Amino acid sequence: MGRTAKDKCLLCKVNESDKKNSHWIPAAMLKSMVGKRDNEESYQFSNYQKRKLDIYYGRDNLKNTDTIRKQNHYSLNFIFCFDCEDKLGKIEGKVIPIIQDEIRLDNKKPNYEELSNDEITFKKCLRLDNHLFRLFFYSVIWRFALIYRIEDDIKLISEEKEEELRKILNEFLNKDLNKISSDIPDLAFQVFTADSFEDKTEGTVYSEDIYSDPMICFANEFIIFYYENGYAVKHNYSLPINTLVESEMALNDINDHPKIGFIDNFHFQAINEKMISDAVTAILNSLVKKVCDCTGLSLINSRYNLAKIGMDIHQKTGENLITAFEEAADLICKGEPK
């Protein structure tokens, strides 16, 4: 990305972006998956080879053999100014405890109203201002779109809609959060979480341009569906994604209390695995195309050679399959298959 402290803040576009280590995903949303500080382990990749697989280990993680300290996958330097970072932090502090922590506590049940349809249970947050709730999730959606675009040239939403979201945030974050007016734009989105988690440390922060309308974002314990052009069921999504897309009841009504949909852990993980599987398929297809383009071989022969050499690297080195296939594609294109 190559930004410096002298570049303008990407939110206000006025102040210099002098803040280091800005979390583009709120840190509080990551706490369950990060675990003990400096012991993290995370994997970053994108489809179509926009970036190669990158593995991050915290400096105290025993798997970390790198002498150079790396930036973790969820924060970046010089994207925001201190002022905007502080404003984002304030709204996160007002919203995240209510939707992530207290919503699961028995002694907080009076603060929520539970309702359900045949497949999904919902909890309305009776003591959370809807405008704060919306502004918070607009900020999460915008940061996903921003970072994927500037880091990987992946457009999760149109640049026009991304700019619209930035302007909404810049306007309303500068107001008294206790007096957010009702004229905040009403954008269509749904928020889901799991009714339980078998292992909270195995979270996912992920989105891809494979999916659009809605844009689908995994933010650890939450799945966010954002409809850039207004809510509509336009595609035959595979199970169980279609169940959520078609759940109009899950849409957040600006004139009602904020709402979170709860799905069982099995289906939550199934959606996670479906998105990752689709992304891995796209990565492998892009590697086959790369081999095909650089060698002139047919797609069938390119796929065969890539699989043969990639599996050989995987078996000999123990590297994960994506890294092994990336190395195989590079070797083939250099004319150095081994």
Side-chain angles (χ1 to χ4, degrees):
M1 184 174 60
R3 288 180 57 84
T4 72
K6 295 296 183 181
D7 290 315
K8 295 299 182 184
C9 169
L10 293 171
L11 178 49
C12 68
K13 294 196 172 182
V14 174
N15 301 327
E16 292 182 345
S17 55
D18 48 7
K19 178 70 174 68
K20 285 188 173 183
N21 201 41
S22 289
H23 279 84
W24 61 271
I25 289 293
M29 295 183 83
L30 302 175
K31 63 181 182 180
S32 63
M33 65 181 280
V34 169
K36 187 177 178 182
R37 184 178 176 85
D38 295 325
N39 278 271
E40 307 97 321
E41 178 177 339
S42 61
Y43 300 79
Q44 185 180 56
F45 66 93
S46 68
N47 69 358
Y48 309 123
Q49 289 294 281
K50 296 290 178 69
R51 76 160 75 227
K52 290 191 173 183
L53 178 71
D54 183 67
I55 303 174
Y56 172 82
Y57 299 116
R59 60 183 174 178
D60 293 337
N61 190 308
L62 296 178
K63 296 180 182 179
N64 189 352
T65 59
D66 199 334
T67 57
I68 300 174
R69 187 172 183 179
K70 294 173 62 176
Q71 182 88 30
N72 72 64
H73 290 150
Y74 309 114
S75 61
L76 292 168
N77 295 331
F78 311 132
I79 56 174
F80 302 134
C81 63
F82 275 91
D83 188 41
C84 286
E85 178 88 358
D86 182 61
K87 291 171 183 174
L88 288 168
K90 285 179 179 176
I91 195 168
E92 292 163 10
K94 288 180 174 292
V95 175
I96 294 175
I98 296 173
I99 65 170
Q100 179 173 278
D101 304 319
E102 296 176 11
I103 201 168
R104 299 179 185 276
L105 299 178
D106 288 340
N107 65 345
K108 296 291 183 178
K109 280 186 176 181
N111 296 341
Y112 303 89
E113 177 187 347
E114 189 169 307
L115 55 154
S116 64
N117 60 18
D118 292 337
E119 297 173 311
I120 302 172
T121 297
F122 302 91
K123 287 188 180 181
K124 288 186 178 182
C125 306
L126 304 180
R127 297 191 179 182
L128 174 60
D129 182 270
N130 193 308
H131 305 105
L132 286 180
F133 176 80
R134 302 185 84 79
L135 196 60
F136 168 73
F137 275 105
Y138 292 175
S139 81
V140 175
I141 293 164
W142 175 71
R143 280 180 277 183
F144 260 98
L146 171 72
I147 299 307
Y148 271 69
R149 177 177 60 79
I150 65 176
E151 285 286 287
D152 296 324
D153 194 29
I154 291 175
K155 293 182 180 179
L156 300 178
I157 57 177
S158 68
E159 291 189 38
E160 292 78 14
K161 185 59 68 172
E162 182 189 318
E163 176 63 8
E164 179 185 335
L165 284 166
R166 184 197 69 80
K167 288 179 177 178
I168 292 170
L169 295 171
N170 192 42
E171 176 184 353
F172 286 91
L173 287 175
N174 280 303
K175 298 183 178 183
D176 183 345
L177 293 183
N178 295 314
K179 300 176 181 179
I180 292 290
S181 62
S182 59
D183 59 349
I184 186 170
D186 183 6
L187 306 181
F189 69 100
Q190 301 158 309
V191 183
F192 301 92
T193 188
D195 58 5
S196 64
F197 295 93
E198 292 180 4
D199 185 350
K200 284 192 173 184
T201 66
E202 294 183 354
T204 301
V205 175
Y206 180 70
S207 187
E208 281 290 2
D209 54 356
I210 297 174
Y211 296 96
S212 62
D213 213 13
M215 160 190 175
I216 304 177
C217 303
F218 271 84
N220 191 22
E221 295 183 22
F222 296 92
I223 307 173
I224 307 161
F225 287 17
Y226 170 60
Y227 299 84
E228 176 176 349
N229 299 306
Y231 175 73
V233 180
K234 297 182 178 179
H235 306 287
N236 292 320
Y237 294 96
S238 59
L239 284 168
I241 294 174
N242 67 323
T243 303
L244 305 189
V245 171
E246 293 168 6
S247 180
E248 190 169 359
M249 186 178 179
L251 284 171
N252 272 279
D253 184 346
I254 199 168
N255 298 312
D256 198 356
H257 295 289
K259 193 187 316 178
I260 305 287
F262 281 72
I263 56 178
D264 63 69
N265 178 264
F266 175 82
H267 285 97
F268 188 92
Q269 293 303 322
I271 295 171
N272 188 327
E273 291 166 7
K274 173 61 178 171
M275 286 194 69
I276 299 299
S277 174
D278 287 349
V280 169
T281 298
I283 289 172
L284 294 178
N285 287 339
S286 70
L287 289 173
V288 171
K289 185 177 184 304
K290 176 180 177 179
V291 171
C292 183
D293 290 343
C294 73
T295 63
L297 293 171
S298 67
L299 284 172
I300 293 176
N301 286 333
S302 296
R303 188 180 299 275
Y304 172 80
N305 286 348
L306 180 68
K308 182 175 182 297
I309 297 169
M311 289 304 298
D312 186 53
I313 292 172
H314 168 66
Q315 291 168 357
K316 287 180 178 178
T317 65
E319 290 180 341
N320 64 75
L321 284 172
I322 292 179
T323 299
F325 276 58
E326 287 173 341
E327 290 183 9
D330 287 342
L331 287 171
I332 293 170
C333 288
K334 291 176 182 177
E336 303 173 5
K338 296 180 180 180

